[in-house]
Amino acid sequence: MTALLVVAVLTGVAGWGCHRVFPTQPLLQVLAPAALVPVVVALLARNRPLWLALLVNVALWFAATVPIYKGLAPGLVKDLANAWQALLTTLLPAQPEPRLLVLVHTVVWLASLVGAEIVTRTTTRAAAALPAVAAFGVALLLGVDGEGSNLPVAAALVVLVAALALVRDGRPARWLLAGLPAAGLLAGAALVFGPLLPIAAEPYNPRSDAELPPPVRVDSVSPLDRVTAWLQAPDRPLFTVKADKPANWRLAVLDRYDGVRWTSSARFQPTGGRVPAGEWTGAAETVRQRVTVDGLPGTWLPAAERPESVTGVPGLAVDPGSGALLAAEPPGKGFGYEVSSRVARPSKEELLAAVPVKDAALTAFPAGPQEAKFRKLAQQAVKGADEPIKQAYRLQKYLRTSAAYDITAPPGHSLKGLEFFLETTHRGTSEQFASAFALMARTLGLPSRVVVGFRPGAQSGGVHQVKSGDVMAWAEIQFEGLGWRPFYPTPGRSGAKDDHEVVSSAIEESERLEGEFTQGGANKPKPSAKPSPAGGREPGEGAPLWVIVPAAAAGVLVVYAVVAMALPWWRRRRRRSAPGAEGRVLGAWQQTCDDLGLRDNRALTAEEVVERHPAAISQHLRPLADISNYVRYAPDGVADQAADEAWRRSDAVRAEVRRSTPLKRRVRRRLLLR
């Protein structure tokens, strides 16, 4: 009897490993009968044939699914077969749907059944614990991505297995009292040292091998196609938002363009409310929202970027890449949900140093004559801007000032229509402005997409009333480390400065940042010169000023050129002849970083440096990085051969960089103008 009780608790604890997969209450409602009923059957049928016990368990297992499904489930077997794939393609925590909970119900029931029958029909000591351990293994695999930890569950299992072994061994109660503290001590050690094991850092995640469903078109009508229609009837209520502060409420993210329309490549996954974090990990502001739908069509759900968690949406699905939200069914009037969003707040320095992500799919342009036209127009718009972020700001400013906002303009965003918009009409809605910006940015190598959403709406009593006239589209560009940054190329409704506060603050920030590029450059004010007397010189002075100034400037340039040409040679020679093999290896690595233009990025690890460069360079860079890492972390016994090999690899990288770098750029680098 005691052993059966231990088996029931052991199986229930093993099933509790799924607490990272499902919310607490529905999980407990499934675990309790699954762990207890087979134990009771085994106790009552211990003197009966095994087949009878199995038959009773099957009947009771089926009966226990009735409260889970709240009725009979004709598709029970199909749900059980598909639950594995469904859970492995779900963002945890999973919705506590019957078709998913039935898997935990079955696994725990089976473990309890086998364990209980082993106890009543054999004399083994710990074999009855193996089914529970196997069930815990299933829970571990299903819950790898979930929140929380299963280490306490594992520690409890260790104690319970030890207790089962002592009980089955027929030891007196004092043995049990003495053995449990020892098992508890072992469990405590596992709890403390478990996270320190190497395998605990990156456990195997079966979701990485699960095949996600193909992307689907979620609505028959794209939100971007609705922009003009909404603007034509601007007073239609769509939804309300009670939020900490105003924000743009994004609805849909569209990143694929076929020459006719923008579509989404989102791979929506079911979720219990968690939204995976985006690329940005720096400073951010949390915005909490309570959204109530009033007349919004479709299944897209509005939220401030970027959502972290959502509550109140049955059948919620999310695209991990964009954070876009999707309901299983179009929400009806009065439907409400809560969202917590994380809005990135990068610093000025982080924005100025932004580097665009390299993604061919996000810079793809449909084949046709329009690509050359869009590229030429984009190059004219950003003329003089070399930095990617500055090009984006220039392009945004160009569209805001070269065309007018007009809701009566022809709708559509096909290539022909956008060409007509850019070259002829110069008027349109945010549909045309955002689409044109994204496509022009792609011709410059900037990965872009279009976002459809809404302005904050009119505020009354802390609630934002969003109507159809608040619809807007904007563009985003993806940068390494920063993630997606918004750009607003659409001018205000009554001029370029007539914007709501979210867009206005973004435009002001872009103008300030663009000014950062010109400080110290051609736009820097020049000091005024005092007027000279007639003749340009005072009595008794030497050469005239017009001779002295050019001569002095020429002298400075000559000295600068000599130093600029000699300094890199001297630095390289000093590093190559550094004392000791260790110093020569580190010198080779420093020289290579300089040759690659990474002098200002000393914080990069060797692996990060290697990953940044193509195969032609990395084939020499990786061996050099390995030698450098060895010297940094195990400097004893570095041989001269290692130093010679390091410099041979450094020379090879230098030669490849020179071969792949245009002469003009090499001269600029040599003159320290990088």
Side-chain angles (χ1 to χ4, degrees):
M1 179 67 180
T2 304
L4 284 174
L5 181 60
V6 174
V7 167
V9 176
L10 183 66
T11 310
V13 170
W16 179 246
C18 288
H19 73 97
R20 304 179 72 187
V21 182
F22 293 105
T24 300
Q25 184 175 351
L27 179 61
L28 287 176
Q29 292 173 350
V30 168
L31 290 181
L36 290 174
V37 172
V39 169
V40 174
V41 172
L43 179 64
L44 297 177
R46 61 186 181 277
N47 297 321
R48 301 291 181 180
L50 178 60
W51 63 266
L52 180 61
L54 295 179
L55 188 62
V56 171
N57 267 286
V58 170
L60 293 177
W61 168 83
F62 181 78
T65 63
V66 173
I68 296 177
Y69 280 87
K70 294 181 173 56
L72 296 178
L76 178 61
V77 176
K78 182 180 178 181
D79 286 349
L80 187 58
N82 295 334
W84 300 92
Q85 178 71 13
L87 280 174
L88 291 179
T89 55
T90 296
L91 298 172
L92 302 183
Q95 292 273 9
E97 301 175 4
R99 66 184 183 90
L100 302 178
L101 286 170
V102 70
L103 177 61
V104 178
H105 168 73
T106 303
V107 169
V108 174
W109 192 292
L110 186 61
S112 181
L113 185 158
V114 175
E117 294 300 330
I118 290 176
V119 166
T120 57
R121 299 178 188 273
T122 71
T123 59
T124 58
R125 288 188 295 177
L130 294 179
V133 173
F136 181 61
V138 172
L140 287 178
L141 288 176
L142 293 178
V144 168
D145 281 345
E147 297 180 349
S149 172
N150 265 325
L151 280 174
V153 180
L157 286 178
V158 171
V159 175
L160 290 169
V161 170
L164 179 63
L166 291 173
V167 170
R168 293 287 287 169
D169 200 31
R171 300 286 183 176
R174 63 178 181 274
W175 279 84
L176 183 62
L177 295 176
L180 288 181
L185 207 60
L186 181 61
L191 191 62
V192 173
F193 296 106
L196 304 180
L197 296 176
I199 60 173
E202 294 184 10
Y204 168 68
N205 188 352
R207 285 176 173 77
S208 60
D209 296 326
E211 184 178 352
L212 295 177
V216 294
R217 187 172 172 181
V218 295
D219 276 336
S220 59
V221 180
S222 167
L224 190 59
D225 295 332
R226 287 190 169 110
V227 169
T228 299
W230 274 334
L231 291 174
Q232 296 292 339
D235 295 326
R236 176 184 173 185
L238 297 182
F239 59 93
T240 62
V241 184
K242 185 177 182 180
D244 301 339
K245 61 176 300 182
N248 288 333
W249 318 117
R250 68 170 47 216
L251 186 67
V253 178
L254 311 173
D255 57 358
R256 294 292 182 266
Y257 186 70
D258 59 7
V260 178
R261 65 201 312 267
W262 285 93
T263 56
S264 172
S265 66
R267 302 180 75 93
F268 286 97
Q269 295 179 248
T271 177
R274 182 177 68 90
V275 181
E279 188 177 358
W280 173 249
T281 58
E285 184 177 15
T286 299
V287 178
R288 295 176 177 83
Q289 312 127 69
R290 170 67 186 179
V291 182
T292 303
V293 176
D294 196 8
L296 183 67
T299 55
W300 299 90
L301 298 177
E305 170 68 15
R306 171 177 176 120
E308 287 184 307
S309 62
V310 184
T311 57
V313 183
L316 175 69
V318 63
D319 174 34
S322 64
L325 307 176
L326 199 69
E329 300 290 339
K333 185 174 182 179
F335 174 78
Y337 58 95
E338 295 182 353
V339 185
S340 177
S341 299
R342 188 172 186 267
V343 181
R345 292 287 184 257
S347 66
K348 175 185 69 177
E349 292 75 18
E350 289 165 330
L351 289 171
L352 295 179
V355 176
V357 169
K358 294 181 180 179
D359 189 335
L362 296 172
T363 55
F365 199 103
Q370 286 84 8
E371 183 175 7
K373 294 181 180 180
F374 276 59
R375 179 179 291 108
K376 181 179 179 181
L377 192 58
Q379 290 173 344
Q380 292 175 352
V382 304
K383 186 176 181 180
D386 297 327
E387 298 82 359
I389 191 79
K390 185 178 180 181
Q391 290 178 337
Y393 287 146
R394 286 274 181 91
L395 188 57
Q396 173 183 261
K397 184 176 181 180
Y398 169 79
L399 287 171
R400 288 179 64 85
T401 56
S402 64
Y405 183 88
D406 185 356
I407 63 172
T408 64
H413 49 274
S414 67
L415 275 178
K416 284 288 187 181
L418 294 177
E419 181 183 5
F420 189 64
F421 160 71
L422 290 172
E423 295 183 346
T424 305
T425 65
H426 303 292
R427 61 188 183 89
T429 66
S430 59
E431 176 187 1
Q432 289 79 41
F433 281 94
S435 298
F437 177 96
L439 291 174
M440 292 170 73
R442 290 190 171 194
T443 66
L444 300 174
L446 302 177
S448 60
R449 66 187 186 186
V450 171
V451 180
V452 182
F454 301 89
R455 294 175 170 84
Q459 184 177 3
S460 176
V463 177
H464 299 272
Q465 306 284 339
V466 181
K467 298 183 178 181
S468 51
D470 294 315
V471 67
M472 63 179 294
W474 63 92
E476 292 183 337
I477 294 177
Q478 189 178 22
F479 296 98
E480 292 182 1
L482 290 179
W484 291 94
R485 295 298 303 160
F487 293 87
Y488 302 98
T490 307
R493 302 189 180 190
S494 301
K497 295 296 183 181
D498 182 21
D499 290 306
H500 63 90
E501 61 180 284
V502 175
V503 172
S504 294
S505 61
I507 297 300
E508 291 172 2
E509 179 187 53
S510 67
E511 292 174 349
R512 287 196 304 270
L513 289 173
E514 188 178 359
E516 295 289 334
F517 290 98
T518 60
Q519 291 182 6
N523 294 344
K524 185 178 179 178
K526 296 180 175 61
S528 58
K530 294 182 180 180
S532 60
R537 55 185 292 187
E538 293 289 345
E541 287 184 330
L545 188 61
W546 64 269
V547 174
I548 295 175
V549 172
V556 171
L557 289 176
V558 169
V559 172
Y560 178 79
V562 170
V563 172
M565 298 298 290
L567 184 60
W569 172 85
W570 175 82
R571 185 187 294 119
R572 184 177 181 83
R573 183 175 180 275
R574 177 172 57 84
R575 289 169 175 170
R576 191 185 289 270
S577 58
E582 176 188 351
R584 292 175 60 203
V585 170
L586 295 180
W589 179 254
Q590 292 173 351
Q591 182 63 46
T592 300
C593 289
D594 287 355
D595 292 337
L596 294 172
L598 300 176
R599 179 178 299 176
D600 297 329
N601 290 287
R602 297 298 190 193
L604 293 175
T605 65
E607 186 63 27
E608 290 173 334
V609 173
V610 173
E611 290 177 352
R612 283 186 170 209
H613 296 88
I617 291 179
S618 61
Q619 63 175 332
H620 301 292
L621 194 56
R622 183 167 292 281
L624 176 57
D626 292 339
I627 298 172
S628 174
N629 284 335
Y630 177 78
V631 170
R632 290 177 186 274
Y633 302 111
D636 296 336
V638 180
D640 290 335
Q641 290 85 348
D644 294 339
E645 175 67 11
W647 275 103
R648 188 177 73 81
R649 296 292 184 178
S650 178
D651 292 340
V653 172
R654 178 181 176 84
E656 181 60 32
V657 170
R658 287 175 61 85
R659 187 190 66 78
S660 59
T661 305
L663 177 61
K664 180 179 178 181
R665 189 173 179 184
R666 294 207 312 269
V667 172
R668 289 186 62 192
R669 284 187 174 182
R670 179 53 65 93
L671 293 177
L672 306 181
L673 297 177
R674 41 185 162 173

